[in-house]
Amino acid sequence: MIRQKLLTAVMVVALVATGMTASAGAVTAPSVETTTSISESTTVTVTNVVDGDTIDIEYQNGSTDTVRLLGVDTPETYGSVSPGEFEGVPDTQAGRECLQPAGENASAYATDQLAGQTVTLQFDSQADRRGDYGRLLAYVQVDGSNFNYDLVERGHARVYDSTFSQSDSFYSAESTAQSAERNAWSCRTPNDDDGSSGGDASALTIDWVNAEASSLNDERVKITNTGSSSIDLDGFTLSDEAGYSHTFAGFTLGASDSVYVHTGSGTNDADDRYMGYGTEIWNDDGDTATVQTAVGTTVAQLAY
């Protein structure tokens, strides 16, 4: 009888230990694939912008992944561009030379809008969950807006020929961007279009660069429109010799107006734009500020 009780006690202890192990395993964070497959959306942080249509992200549990923006394709920046993929862009040297900076501008715009931001990934039941190289395929929602659609609407991207539920609205936005020759679509006439979508871009001047500043936002550049009509600066970039840059998005500079581009972070408005850097970028002992159109044409430059 004593032996039987002892055996029963051992079995109880073993079962309790097994239960504790199972309980401990239950609180282990689920894998990334499990997390994303059970939800139509998930909140992540953008840790790196690879190019205009690809980002690296981190989940709330610390896992990482790469996302290919669903339904869109921006011009290549790391390899040779393919004009044939962009309807109406000539497959010529001029077309390629136009698309290359257009791809860089798309990347700069994505960096300006997404880098370091907390965004929501949304998945489409009509599309694959993962594409080439195992990358997630998703819409990126920023402040309630679909960034994938925004890229197409602004002409930074074409619609990627694939199956997804929002394709009709994307194609409609693409058609409008093509007609207006916005950003990459200005490459349809690369020899005649300087990339500006309104006003005389040659009227832009860089008045000064305040490099010896007491704070990041005191370090700033003043740009003025000396012309008699407004200039649409959407897609234009301001950069220094080292490649630090700011891409203007949805911004028009009125006739005789000026805008101050600050190095640090802040809220963009009609008079002030912010590059979002955490360190000074304009060299105290000399640098060159350059403003280029969406297709890479230099329209203003100041060396100091």
Side-chain angles (χ1 to χ4, degrees):
M1 179 69 75
I2 294 175
R3 289 180 180 177
Q4 184 176 0
K5 289 182 178 180
L6 179 61
L7 179 60
T8 301
V10 171
M11 292 177 64
V12 169
V13 170
L15 288 171
V16 170
T18 302
M20 290 176 64
T21 302
S23 177
V27 298
T28 301
S31 67
V32 171
E33 194 61 48
T34 300
T35 301
T36 56
S37 64
I38 63 175
S39 174
E40 287 306 307
S41 67
T42 186
T43 300
V44 301
T45 300
V46 179
T47 58
N48 178 52
V49 174
V50 179
D51 55 28
D53 54 38
T54 306
I55 59 175
D56 293 326
I57 56 97
E58 180 177 309
Y59 294 92
Q60 293 177 329
N61 66 6
S63 302
T64 60
D65 216 332
T66 299
V67 178
R68 179 67 160 77
L69 274 62
L70 178 63
V72 303
D73 181 45
T74 59
E76 293 294 331
T77 57
Y78 294 105
S80 58
V81 293
S82 303
E85 295 178 347
F86 287 79
E87 182 182 359
V89 176
D91 192 1
T92 61
Q93 184 63 26
R96 287 186 287 274
E97 289 179 351
C98 179
L99 279 179
Q100 187 76 44
E104 294 171 356
N105 288 336
S107 294
Y109 178 66
T111 299
D112 183 61
Q113 298 296 305
L114 300 180
Q117 298 297 312
T118 298
V119 303
T120 299
L121 301 183
Q122 289 191 332
F123 304 99
D124 194 318
S125 61
Q126 294 186 21
D128 293 333
R129 183 56 60 95
R130 291 187 181 271
D132 295 339
Y133 312 108
R135 298 174 298 187
L136 278 175
L137 298 176
Y139 303 110
V140 176
Q141 296 285 337
V142 186
D143 296 329
S145 298
N146 188 325
F147 184 74
N148 306 40
Y149 180 87
D150 182 48
L151 284 175
V152 176
E153 185 178 46
R154 293 181 181 277
H156 286 306
R158 72 182 178 96
V159 179
Y160 189 78
D161 187 16
S162 58
T163 301
F164 60 104
S165 64
Q166 298 186 31
S167 60
D168 287 347
S169 64
F170 275 47
Y171 277 118
S172 177
E174 179 187 67
S175 179
T176 301
Q178 287 173 335
S179 298
E181 293 195 343
R182 295 175 188 154
N183 291 303
W185 298 115
S186 65
C187 296
R188 287 179 153 191
T189 53
N191 294 324
D192 302 321
D193 191 352
D194 69 353
S196 62
S197 54
D200 180 10
S202 65
L204 290 174
T205 63
I206 301 174
D207 297 332
W208 44 256
V209 177
N210 186 29
E212 298 182 2
S214 58
S215 66
L216 283 180
N217 283 338
D218 190 36
E219 184 179 82
R220 63 198 189 280
V221 180
K222 181 182 180 183
I223 301 173
T224 298
N225 174 9
T226 63
S228 58
S229 60
S230 298
I231 301 175
D232 184 352
L233 297 185
D234 187 35
F236 281 48
T237 59
L238 167 68
S239 61
D240 72 346
E241 290 179 352
Y244 293 101
S245 66
H246 170 73
T247 300
F248 291 93
F251 179 72
T252 299
L253 186 60
S256 301
D257 286 346
S258 298
V259 61
Y260 298 88
V261 183
H262 305 264
T263 298
S265 299
T267 302
N268 293 328
D269 57 30
D271 301 311
D272 300 278
R273 315 298 284 187
Y274 296 87
M275 302 179 80
Y277 289 106
T279 185
E280 295 181 358
I281 65 172
W282 299 103
N283 297 326
D284 292 349
D285 57 355
D287 208 334
T288 301
T290 303
V291 174
Q292 293 183 314
T293 68
V295 297
T297 302
T298 298
V299 291
Q301 194 166 66
L302 176 67
Y304 65 90

